[in-house]
Amino acid sequence: MTSKGILGVVSGFSGAGKGTLMKGLLSKYPQYALSISATTRKPRINAATGESEKDGEDYFFISKEEFEHMIDQDELIEYACYQGNYYGTPRRYVEDMLAEGRDVILEIEVQGASKVKAKRPDTVLVFVTPPSAGELKVRLNKRGTETPEQIKGRLRRATEEAEYMQAYDYVLVNDDLEESIANLHAIFRSEHSRTMRSEKRIANITAELKEMMKGE
Amino acid sequence: MTSKGILGVVSGFSGAGKGTLMKGLLSKYPQYALSISATTRKPRINAATGESEKDGEDYFFISKEEFEHMIDQDELIEYACYQGNYYGTPRRYVEDMLAEGRDVILEIEVQGASKVKAKRPDTVLVFVTPPSAGELKVRLNKRGTETPEQIKGRLRRATEEAEYMQAYDYVLVNDDLEESIANLHAIFRSEHSRTMRSEKRIANITAELKEMMKGE
């Protein structure tokens, strides 16, 4: 019996280490499929490394017209507009991977997450956080890629995002990277055994047992 | 921050391989504490090996008077009577281990499980089942320790127990032993990150972020 894949969402404060965590998970457990978002914003250059974000890797960078065409064709699971740019999750890849029985992870922000959960209540929502807000501030300062004003903005945004934590299924404290990778993997692994995903098996076993008893 | 241990219950059809699974879990992950039940029934001799059940290992074998004294003193988390014998879970060991932050597992049957869950809603209930009822019958026959009449009795009991599966949090399909050990461990591991066990952390981070923003 091939069980269908699980749709997961990973969100978290900017500076929580989501990106590193996702990379670590995928390199250790390549069975996960990571959905790539589409956006109309331009690729950013990392101030520290001088490297540009890559199309088809960091995001699918598309035009406003292409994005609005996808909206019209219902080709996005969720989308939102921030600071004048669209961000969204293309449906096709996600559904193909799920049908193949692979667990698919969307790395999206809190509003997108709640839209996906509303449409698909069996989505597993994971919120990644540093052990404390103090530690978040330390990490943001350490990155050295943002101005103090930008860091203030990220902390302000974190304060808003914190209001959504309660709506998540799991709160993953990202302290030690290896530990967090193992925890994230355990979440998806255990979700496959959840009773709500086992309805069919329960019904089959129950019916089979009753059938056996009839024969006795 | 030491998180408190999780109380777990593992139940399942006789013949599902619970015993072997629990032994495997504990030998691979000795951090789990397995609670030992008390009973007033006499130790059984395994017909195949000639070995007797051991006091303090398989059960605490105690007298009816001792058991009833424990009931009177509220020293049992749950207890029940089957075929004229008492079975119950001593409270002390469970609470000591939980307070130490260890995950404690009770291997008890379905009625006991629902009593524990009613008293402590944060208990994690895991139901162990073979992949199918046909496979259950095969395993019971293979054991060779029971008469055909006893096997029939176990299947009848399984039919009753199947009605309780829906009330469990997880349905663990015990097909491959190593796989099942990893799944059971993943369940407890992931439960530590559940939002309902993270209320305090969420409240702390939220308050800390708000405090930071005040200063800005």
Side-chain angles (χ1 to χ4, degrees):
Chain A
M1 195 187 295
T2 316
S3 56
K4 240 190 106 215
I6 289 173
L7 181 59
V9 163
V10 172
S11 310
F13 305 130
S14 175
K18 272 189 322 277
T20 314
L21 175 58
M22 293 308 297
K23 262 183 204 151
L25 181 79
L26 284 153
S27 102
K28 192 156 183 188
Y29 303 103
Q31 66 263 41
Y32 290 104
L34 182 64
S35 155
I36 295 161
S37 297
T39 183
T40 57
R41 80 154 164 78
K42 298 284 164 280
R44 279 191 198 132
I45 313 277
N46 184 314
T49 65
E51 269 182 77
S52 170
E53 289 179 324
K54 288 186 189 69
D55 185 50
E57 198 169 301
D58 296 294
Y59 285 96
F60 291 111
F61 294 101
I62 62 178
S63 69
K64 193 162 171 267
E65 292 66 37
E66 288 172 300
F67 202 104
E68 287 174 346
H69 181 75
M70 289 183 86
I71 296 174
D72 291 343
Q73 301 294 310
D74 195 26
E75 289 173 6
L76 297 162
I77 291 181
E78 58 80 35
Y79 70 95
C81 193
Y82 301 104
Q83 307 177 317
N85 291 306
Y86 283 124
Y87 294 81
T89 304
R91 180 188 303 283
R92 181 69 176 275
Y93 175 79
V94 172
E95 294 195 337
D96 285 355
M97 292 297 107
L98 289 176
E100 279 183 23
R102 289 179 65 180
D103 294 346
V104 181
I105 304 179
L106 318 181
E107 192 194 323
I108 57 179
E109 48 59 67
V110 292
Q111 283 99 336
S114 68
K115 283 182 196 167
V116 174
K117 185 82 171 183
K119 270 197 203 168
R120 302 176 177 238
D122 63 343
T123 305
V124 176
L125 302 189
V126 182
F127 194 94
V128 181
T129 174
S132 69
E135 173 64 20
L136 178 65
K137 200 172 177 181
V138 168
R139 290 189 196 176
L140 285 168
N141 280 316
K142 258 195 199 158
R143 295 210 292 202
T145 52
E146 283 118 354
T147 64
E149 200 45 55
Q150 283 174 316
I151 291 177
K152 225 180 274 179
R154 295 203 182 273
L155 287 173
R156 202 174 302 118
R157 170 110 182 103
T159 313
E160 291 160 24
E161 287 171 332
E163 303 294 327
Y164 287 81
M165 285 171 88
Q166 284 286 359
Y168 280 68
D169 300 301
Y170 297 90
V171 173
L172 200 161
V173 179
N174 187 17
D175 198 356
D176 174 83
L177 179 63
E178 288 308 313
E179 190 85 2
S180 296
I181 292 171
N183 284 338
L184 191 52
H185 180 55
I187 287 170
F188 285 98
R189 180 160 200 151
S190 69
E191 279 288 333
H192 279 278
S193 304
R194 281 234 146 230
T195 301
M196 71 160 191
R197 297 185 209 279
S198 311
E199 302 296 340
K200 213 170 171 181
R201 188 180 296 274
I202 294 173
N204 286 346
I205 289 180
T206 307
E208 212 190 330
L209 280 166
K210 280 186 181 154
E211 197 54 38
M212 274 182 189
M213 286 301 100
K214 261 192 208 163
E216 299 300 336
Chain B
M1 195 186 297
T2 315
S3 56
K4 237 191 108 213
I6 288 173
L7 180 60
V9 164
V10 172
S11 310
F13 304 129
S14 173
K18 271 189 325 275
T20 315
L21 175 58
M22 294 308 298
K23 262 183 205 153
L25 181 79
L26 285 153
S27 102
K28 192 156 182 186
Y29 302 105
Q31 66 263 42
Y32 291 103
L34 183 65
S35 154
I36 295 162
S37 297
T39 184
T40 57
R41 81 153 165 77
K42 298 282 163 281
R44 279 191 198 132
I45 314 278
N46 184 314
T49 65
E51 270 182 74
S52 169
E53 288 178 325
K54 289 187 188 70
D55 185 50
E57 198 168 302
D58 295 294
Y59 286 96
F60 292 110
F61 295 100
I62 62 177
S63 69
K64 193 162 171 267
E65 290 66 38
E66 288 173 300
F67 201 103
E68 287 173 347
H69 182 75
M70 288 182 87
I71 296 174
D72 291 343
Q73 301 294 310
D74 195 27
E75 288 173 9
L76 297 162
I77 291 181
E78 57 80 35
Y79 71 94
C81 194
Y82 300 105
Q83 307 175 316
N85 291 306
Y86 283 124
Y87 294 81
T89 304
R91 180 188 304 283
R92 180 69 175 276
Y93 175 80
V94 171
E95 294 194 338
D96 285 355
M97 291 296 109
L98 289 175
E100 279 184 23
R102 288 179 67 180
D103 294 345
V104 181
I105 304 180
L106 319 182
E107 193 194 322
I108 56 178
E109 49 59 66
V110 291
Q111 282 99 334
S114 69
K115 282 182 197 167
V116 175
K117 184 82 171 183
K119 268 197 204 167
R120 302 176 177 237
D122 64 342
T123 306
V124 176
L125 302 190
V126 182
F127 194 95
V128 181
T129 174
S132 69
E135 174 64 20
L136 179 64
K137 201 174 176 180
V138 167
R139 289 189 196 174
L140 285 170
N141 281 315
K142 257 195 199 158
R143 294 208 295 201
T145 52
E146 283 118 356
T147 63
E149 200 45 55
Q150 283 174 318
I151 291 177
K152 226 180 273 179
R154 294 203 183 275
L155 288 172
R156 202 175 301 118
R157 170 111 181 103
T159 312
E160 292 161 24
E161 286 172 332
E163 304 293 328
Y164 287 81
M165 286 171 86
Q166 285 287 358
Y168 279 69
D169 300 300
Y170 297 90
V171 172
L172 200 161
V173 178
N174 187 17
D175 198 356
D176 174 84
L177 179 64
E178 287 309 313
E179 189 85 1
S180 296
I181 292 170
N183 284 338
L184 191 52
H185 180 55
I187 287 170
F188 285 98
R189 180 160 200 150
S190 68
E191 280 288 334
H192 279 277
S193 304
R194 282 235 145 228
T195 302
M196 71 160 191
R197 297 185 208 279
S198 311
E199 303 296 340
K200 211 169 173 182
R201 187 179 298 272
I202 294 173
N204 286 346
I205 289 180
T206 306
E208 212 190 330
L209 280 166
K210 282 187 181 154
E211 198 52 42
M212 275 182 188
M213 286 301 99
K214 262 192 208 163
E216 300 298 335

